[in-house]
Amino acid sequence: MKVFSFPRGGLTYDDPAVPSRNSSVIAFLPALSVIPLVQHSDESVTSLVSIGDTVTEGMLIGKAKNQNSVHIHAAVPGKIIDNIEWNDPDGRHNKGLVIRMQGAFERLGRKENNFLNDGMNRQELQQILTDCGIVEMEGSGRPVADILLALKNEKKTQTLVVRCVFDDPWLAADYVLCKERLKEVVEWSFIIAKVGGKIGRVIFAISHREKSLGETMLAEAGQYDIPSTLVLTGSKYPQRNRRELELVLRDYEKKEGYDFGHLLVLGPATLAAVHDAAKYHRPILERYVAVGGSAVRNPQVMRVRIGKRLADIFDECGGFINTPCRIAVGSPLSGKTVTNLNEPVTKTSYAVFAMLKSQAGNFPKRDCISCGECRSVCPVGLDPEELYKQITILHSKCGSMDQCHGCGCCEVVCPSCLPLSDVIAGKISEGAASAGGTRA
Ligand code: SF4
Ligand code: SF4
C-alpha cells in the first residue's frame, strides 16, 4: 500500500522519555481541582456558582457567552472553595474555580442512561454538543457544534477525515485511546457523517507505522453503509498538521480519481467525546494524557479528570528523579511551558512532561552560523534564518511570516539554539528574543 507524505521538509522525531503506548491507567480522583473558565478564544464564561456552593459531578458551572465559547462543567462533585486567576508564561490570562472534592459521584461507576435514537438529526446533535460543552480535544479546542454548523453552509461534497497520524511520540495518549475505544471512534465517525449533511465518505488517515491499527479500523467500518478509505500517511513530523495532511489527501484524491470536496478533520479523542455526549449526555469529565519526560520516575498514559493539577499528576507518576529544567503541556516540539504546577489539565492537554537538562539541550543561544538546517526542514519552504533576522535585527515583518504554522522544526534543528519558531510565529516578542532565551 502506497504511503503519502508531504513533499518537503519535516523531521523524524523519537523520544525515549515518552510513556509506553500499551494501555492507560485511571488516575486517582483529585482532592482539589482547578476548573479553567477561559476558553480557546480567550473568552471567559459566565460563572454560575460562587465560593461555598456545592456542585455535582458533571454539573454546569460556567455558561458560554457566545457561539465561540462553550459551557463548563464540574468534573468532580464537591464544594467551590476559591476563585483564582493566573498568567501563562506567554502572557495569557486565566481564571479558574477551585473545587474541593466531596460527596457522591453521580456518573462514575454507575450505569448511565442511553439517550441515543436512530432519528437524530444535525440540529439535535449540535444542541447536545453545545449543552455538554464538547470541543476539539486538540489544538485550540474549537466547539464541535460550531464546526458542524459550518458544514451546513458548505456547498461542496464533504469528506470526514479521522486523523490518526502519530508523527510525534508525544501523541501516545491519542494512540492508546484509539486502541481502547476503537469501536466508538469508528461508530461516531459514521454517525457524524450520516447526520452531518453531505458527507459522502469517511477517510481513516493513519501513519504507516500504525498500518495494522488502520486496517482494524477499516474492517470495523465495513458494517456502515457510507464508503470508507484507508490512507497511509508518512510518519515524519508535522504530517499531522492540517496543511501537510491536506496536501497528502489531495495528492491521494488526484491519483485515485476521487472528489473529496471539503475536508472535515476530527481526531479520535474528539470522536470519543462526541460519543459520550450524544449517547450519555456526558460532558468532558476526563481525558487521556501522556505523562513523561526524563525527570519523571514512572511515565504513563493516564485517564485524568479535567482540572487535576499537574503537581498531583507528577506525584502519581512517582515524582521527579531530579529537578526538571522545563515542564510543559503538549509536545516538546510545540508545547506550552508551565511555571506553576497548580495549573490544571484542560480538555486539550494531550501530554505533560518534565525534562532534565540532559534531555532539554537547554544551551544558551549563539549567533547564526548560516548552516541552512532551518531551511531544509521547513515544510512550508520558508527561510527561518532570514525571517528571524528581519524580526530581531531589522524589526520588520514580511508577508511570508503568516505562512508559518509554528511547527517548531526549524527551532529543533538550529545548532545555535535560536528561538526561531517562537519568534516567527509571534509567541515571544522580538525584544525578548534579542535579550536572550533558551530552547527546549
Ligand atoms: S539553523 Fe540556526 S544557525 Fe543554521 S541557518 Fe538557521 S538560524 Fe542560522
Ligand atoms: S515553525 Fe514556521 S518557519 Fe519554522 S519550520 Fe515550522 S513553518 Fe517553517
Side-chain angles (χ1 to χ4, degrees), residues 113-130:
N113 291 331
N114 182 347
F115 293 97
L116 203 56
N117 71 70
D118 281 348
M120 183 173 54
N121 60 33
R122 186 172 47 75
Q123 285 92 333
E124 284 165 339
L125 179 58
Q126 262 172 236
Q127 191 56 53
I128 293 167
L129 299 179
T130 300

Side-chain angles (χ1 to χ4, degrees), residues 27 43 51 55 76 86 102 129 142 159 172 182 240 264 269 312 317 326 329 339 356 410:
E43 181 89 53
I51 294 175
V55 297
V76 292
W86 71 97
Q102 62 184 49
L129 299 179
R142 289 180 306 158
T159 296
L182 186 137
R240 179 171 167 277
L264 166 65
D312 295 335
C317 289
R326 187 187 178 209
V329 177
T339 49
L356 296 173
C410 52

Side-chain angles (χ1 to χ4, degrees), residues 367-375 385 410 413-416 418 420:
D367 289 340
C368 170
I369 54 169
S370 295
C371 64
E373 289 290 328
C374 53
R375 280 187 292 283
E385 172 195 1
C410 52
V413 298
C414 178
S416 296
L418 296 171
L420 299 170

